[in-house]
């Protein structure tokens, strides 16, 4: 194991609510310091939630709406300028920009990562 990787228990992992959702709306976020979109996603039984995501370098709104993504929905809400973020849209940082985490085939909105 690398020196900067700290082991966690299964109980620690179970505390993080990582679920599938479908992006239903995307709007510009001109007030953001770095290029970002305002993103709303339907998480089924967990409802619709919004976030600010720095994914504008690789994705247009048209490419995002209707896509199923993976989000963390039990972090505390975070104020980002004039916008309140309610979930973390997961992804991978690359030199070109953030690549969003998606599912390999459709699953129900709200399905939990296991």
């Amino acid at each position: 194991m690398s020196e900067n990787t700290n082991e966690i228990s299964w109980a620690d992992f179970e505390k993080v609510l990582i679920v599938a959702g479908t992006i239903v709306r995307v709007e510009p976020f001109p007030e953001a310091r770095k290029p970002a979109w305002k993103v709303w996603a339907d998480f089924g039984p967990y409802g619709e939630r919004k976030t600010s995501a720095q994914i504008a370098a690789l994705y247009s709104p048209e490419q995002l709406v209707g896509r199923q993504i993976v989000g963390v929905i039990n972090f505390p809400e975070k104020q980002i300028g004039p916008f309140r973020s309610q979930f973390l849209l997961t992804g991978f940082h690359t030199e070109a920009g953030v690549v969003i985490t998606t599912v390999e085939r459709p699953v129900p909105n709200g399905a939990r990562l296991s």
Side-chain angles (χ1 to χ4, degrees):
M1 185 164 26
S2 70
E3 58 190 77
N4 63 357
T5 304
N6 298 319
E7 283 189 0
I8 63 170
S9 70
W10 181 254
D12 290 332
F13 176 71
E14 286 185 312
K15 291 177 186 175
V16 184
L17 197 50
I18 306 170
V19 298
T22 300
I23 296 176
V24 295
R25 189 164 112 212
V26 178
E27 294 180 0
F29 191 6
E31 303 90 350
R33 285 190 213 132
K34 295 181 181 175
W37 298 119
K38 294 177 183 176
V39 177
W40 284 260
D42 176 3
F43 289 102
Y46 300 105
E48 189 175 293
R49 296 176 186 229
K50 62 185 179 177
T51 193
S52 166
Q54 295 176 359
I55 55 174
L58 294 179
Y59 303 95
S60 70
E62 297 76 25
Q63 293 172 312
L64 292 167
V65 172
R67 286 187 88 166
Q68 204 164 36
I69 49 86
V70 178
V72 177
I73 62 170
N74 66 334
F75 285 138
E77 288 190 12
K78 183 177 180 182
Q79 191 72 37
I80 302 172
F83 193 71
R84 196 130 182 97
S85 182
Q86 300 171 320
F87 77 96
L88 171 69
L89 176 58
T90 63
F92 299 91
H93 288 274
T94 71
E95 288 183 17
V98 175
V99 176
I100 60 173
T101 309
T102 60
V103 295
E104 183 265 334
R105 64 187 69 182
V107 298
N109 288 334
R112 189 166 184 179
L113 179 73
S114 58

